Amino acid sequence: MSWDTFLQQIADYQGIFDADERQVFCVRFAEQNLAELDAKIAADLHISEVTLQRRMGRIYATFAHSCPALNMEKKGKFKRLRDWLRQEYVRYQQHGEQLRNPKTDSRAILCQDRYIEPGILPTCYQEILKPGCLLRIKAPWKMGKTELMSRVLNYAADQGYRAELSRCNQCN
């Protein structure tokens, strides 16, 4: 399988179906563009650098659950994702393993807590202890939102606080 075909399949598995985001992903991670600067990629795509960065931010968020090294709070996300993609490609080429879909792979569903960003739990613990705290959690389906809320509410109860869970009317 060629690198470009691999990128297309990864985009499918990760659920990158928005045409603009898919194009940015496939062009930005194309073999010939891996060493290029964002300015050149944006010019090639006929978009601004800001638009490119915004779309890349959504792409990084999509891959955050699959790529353990991809920490959304640190710089170097492109390099980390690029290295992870290369590693997955080599694994696929050497072993002929199928690409794993984190949304349907039973191992991913059983290990939901690995999807919770490592830095988000301590932040939630700190925030929940503040008077009148409101935590809003927004993430795609099967990303560990319920697990995160359960941990935060248990922590608050252990600290002697009363916590209430409510759903947004627009979310029902």
Side-chain angles (χ1 to χ4, degrees):
M1 172 188 314
S2 73
W3 176 255
D4 292 336
T5 304
F6 174 76
L7 290 178
Q8 291 289 340
Q9 282 196 355
I10 282 283
D12 289 339
Y13 279 107
Q14 294 296 325
I16 303 174
F17 299 119
D18 177 81
D20 292 333
E21 286 179 26
R22 189 180 187 97
Q23 180 187 31
V24 164
F25 172 73
C26 291
V27 170
R28 185 64 189 104
F29 288 97
E31 192 68 41
Q32 69 271 17
N33 292 334
L34 290 175
E36 296 294 340
L37 297 175
D38 283 351
K40 182 184 182 312
I41 301 300
D44 290 348
L45 292 170
H46 306 291
I47 57 175
S48 71
E49 266 188 87
V50 172
T51 300
L52 175 69
Q53 291 167 358
R54 188 172 44 242
R55 290 179 185 164
M56 286 300 294
R58 289 192 295 264
I59 290 166
Y60 296 139
T62 300
F63 278 92
H65 61 278
S66 299
C67 177
L70 189 61
N71 185 336
M72 299 304 288
E73 301 195 16
K74 292 184 180 176
K75 292 186 177 190
K77 291 184 282 280
F78 174 77
K79 183 182 180 302
R80 286 188 184 98
L81 183 54
R82 179 198 66 202
D83 293 346
W84 180 82
L85 287 168
R86 283 181 175 165
Q87 179 183 6
E88 288 292 302
Y89 183 64
V90 168
R91 184 182 58 77
Y92 177 81
Q93 295 286 55
Q94 289 177 346
H95 304 291
E97 293 181 30
Q98 289 289 72
L99 298 174
R100 291 178 298 223
N101 185 344
K103 293 179 181 169
T104 59
D105 190 338
S106 60
R107 290 171 294 177
I109 294 168
L110 292 173
C111 301
Q112 274 186 337
D113 59 343
R114 73 178 178 171
Y115 292 152
I116 298 173
E117 289 278 332
I120 196 83
L121 202 52
T123 303
C124 289
Y125 287 165
Q126 290 173 358
E127 291 299 314
I128 201 72
L129 298 179
K130 294 179 181 177
C133 172
L134 172 69
L135 291 179
R136 179 173 184 243
I137 299 172
K138 184 178 177 182
W141 184 65
K142 291 285 186 188
M143 292 297 295
K145 297 179 293 292
T146 303
E147 176 68 22
L148 175 62
M149 279 311 306
S150 175
R151 290 181 184 201
V152 171
L153 290 174
N154 286 337
Y155 177 79
D158 290 346
Q159 302 300 314
Y161 288 84
R162 190 187 96 222
E164 294 179 20
L165 179 64
S166 67
R167 292 185 70 98
C168 170
N169 289 339
Q170 295 173 342
C171 299
N172 292 333

